[in-house]
Amino acid sequence: MILSHILLLLAFTNLSNAFSILPNHPHGGDTRTTATKTTTRSSLVTLYALTPIGPFCPFRSAAAIQIEPKMESLNSATPEFATELARIQLDMQIGQMPNPERLRKVARGIDAAVDDWENLLTRLNLSNDFQTKEYYKLTQAHLAKHGQRSEEICVMMRWQSQCMLAMADNRPPPFPPSEINVMKLMNEAKAQQQDSKKGPPSINAMAAAEKITSTPFTGDEPAFQSDTVKKEYEALCRDHASLIDFGGSYATFDPFGKMAYLDELEKIEERWDVFFARFSLLGQLNQKFVKQCNAFLDSMGMTE
């Protein structure tokens, strides 16, 4: 359960690495529209797609691009020791003593991941950039949904690492830190066994999540034959990208400036809503894209 929170953070911060929202078309617009991920909602007659807003935004700020290597490093390292941890848990369930070296390897991996995770969260929170701060707020909101905080997660994982090292050395496990509510954890684990939807997404489900490879628009939709639609789309991409760039100094804005910036983001969101809804109502939104988005977010335990 604990490691799934780290994987979900990485999923949030890497959402825009899957595909471009730009159709493969001569009027492709701003090339800085690198990637996005979205999902769908049902209506009586058709499906609508979530627009590229918030963590699903394809336009990357300079700060977000700068921090991506760190996120990718965490993303590649975490699943490896998560798999090892699952093997250890399986050994213990069948009454078999886990291999001491495997225990030490996983313990070291947990400690390293927690160090990197704390560093990443600190950088996201202290950044002047709106987009990176948004990632931080999203992570904290997700944890709060499950009654947890990032600080508690880190303490829990470090204690888990110490317990593994003690087991590997055939020593008694250390007492739980005062910050850890053991009864709360037991009740949460019991509740999740009864209803898996109440807890965070499982590591296995997230690791098996299929990457989104399609785009909302193929570029062959009849709507794009209209010069008006082309210009509207290109202007929307251009305005959205410019607003993301402008948010690079969001933390330095005065309160009224921050409110004005959020108002502009809402206007962009409304424009995307109208644009996507039009394509969906015309039946020209890529249905493969819709299905892949639904499958991906379902694996992450997220809904619209």
Side-chain angles (χ1 to χ4, degrees):
M1 181 178 73
I2 303 300
L3 291 178
S4 65
H5 288 303
I6 288 184
L7 289 178
L8 190 55
L9 165 67
L10 297 173
F12 286 150
T13 50
N14 285 287
L15 278 174
S16 56
N17 289 330
F19 55 79
S20 171
I21 64 170
L22 293 174
N24 183 20
H25 201 276
H27 62 77
D30 193 326
T31 58
R32 295 162 58 204
T33 331
T34 55
T36 186
K37 287 185 179 179
T38 55
T39 187
T40 63
R41 57 176 173 266
S42 298
S43 72
L44 294 176
V45 295
T46 187
L47 292 174
Y48 292 81
L50 277 175
T51 51
I53 296 294
F56 308 98
C57 177
F59 308 98
R60 311 308 300 276
S61 65
I65 293 174
Q66 186 178 17
I67 209 169
E68 274 183 1
K70 190 66 175 179
M71 293 189 293
E72 291 175 357
S73 176
L74 264 173
N75 196 35
S76 59
T78 303
E80 180 179 352
F81 74 79
T83 301
E84 290 296 321
L85 179 59
R87 293 174 180 172
I88 290 174
Q89 292 173 335
L90 180 60
D91 288 343
M92 296 180 66
Q93 287 175 359
I94 63 177
Q96 181 177 337
M97 176 64 182
N99 182 283
E101 285 305 315
R102 176 176 290 171
L103 287 170
R104 295 188 182 95
K105 177 182 178 181
V106 173
R108 290 192 297 268
I110 290 177
D111 284 337
V114 172
D115 288 341
D116 290 342
W117 193 41
E118 286 182 317
N119 178 266
L120 175 60
L121 287 177
T122 300
R123 291 180 62 184
L124 292 176
N125 187 35
L126 297 180
S127 173
N128 286 333
D129 176 59
F130 177 85
Q131 191 170 58
T132 48
K133 280 184 172 294
E134 188 176 40
Y135 290 151
Y136 175 82
K137 293 294 185 180
L138 178 64
T139 303
Q140 298 298 342
H142 168 74
L143 294 177
K145 179 182 178 181
H146 298 287
Q148 296 171 330
R149 296 181 298 112
S150 58
E151 295 81 3
E152 294 176 349
I153 298 295
C154 292
V155 170
M156 169 62 75
M157 293 193 68
R158 292 192 190 282
W159 176 60
Q160 189 175 26
S161 171
Q162 294 170 7
C163 289
M164 289 184 178
L165 291 175
M167 184 182 296
D169 298 335
N170 199 24
R171 294 183 286 107
F175 286 106
S178 59
E179 299 95 325
I180 297 179
N181 188 331
V182 178
M183 290 302 299
K184 174 184 173 183
L185 292 174
M186 293 176 63
N187 291 334
E188 287 177 350
K190 183 178 179 180
Q192 187 173 3
Q193 287 180 349
Q194 296 174 349
D195 185 357
S196 60
K197 294 182 179 180
K198 290 185 177 181
S202 69
I203 295 174
N204 291 336
M206 296 176 69
E210 183 178 350
K211 189 174 182 179
I212 299 175
T213 56
S214 59
T215 63
F217 315 117
T218 65
D220 297 324
E221 292 83 2
F224 277 119
Q225 296 177 7
S226 167
D227 289 338
T228 301
V229 174
K230 293 179 185 178
K231 291 179 180 178
E232 178 186 0
Y233 183 73
E234 292 169 358
L236 184 50
C237 290
R238 182 173 58 252
D239 293 346
H240 196 171
S242 297
L243 192 59
I244 294 300
D245 285 343
F246 186 66
S249 55
Y250 174 81
T252 66
F253 298 170
D254 61 28
F256 289 105
K258 291 178 180 179
M259 291 177 62
Y261 183 80
L262 294 177
D263 286 342
E264 291 302 313
L265 278 179
E266 287 187 358
K267 293 177 182 178
I268 289 290
E269 182 176 3
E270 291 173 357
R271 290 168 63 186
W272 277 119
D273 282 341
V274 171
F275 195 85
F276 268 60
R278 184 186 304 138
F279 271 74
S280 186
L281 288 171
L282 291 172
Q284 296 181 21
L285 196 63
N286 188 352
Q287 293 303 300
K288 181 179 180 181
F289 162 79
V290 169
K291 293 178 181 178
Q292 286 187 339
C293 290
N294 278 335
F296 178 84
L297 288 190
D298 183 62
S299 70
M300 296 295 153
M302 294 187 292
T303 63
E304 181 186 347

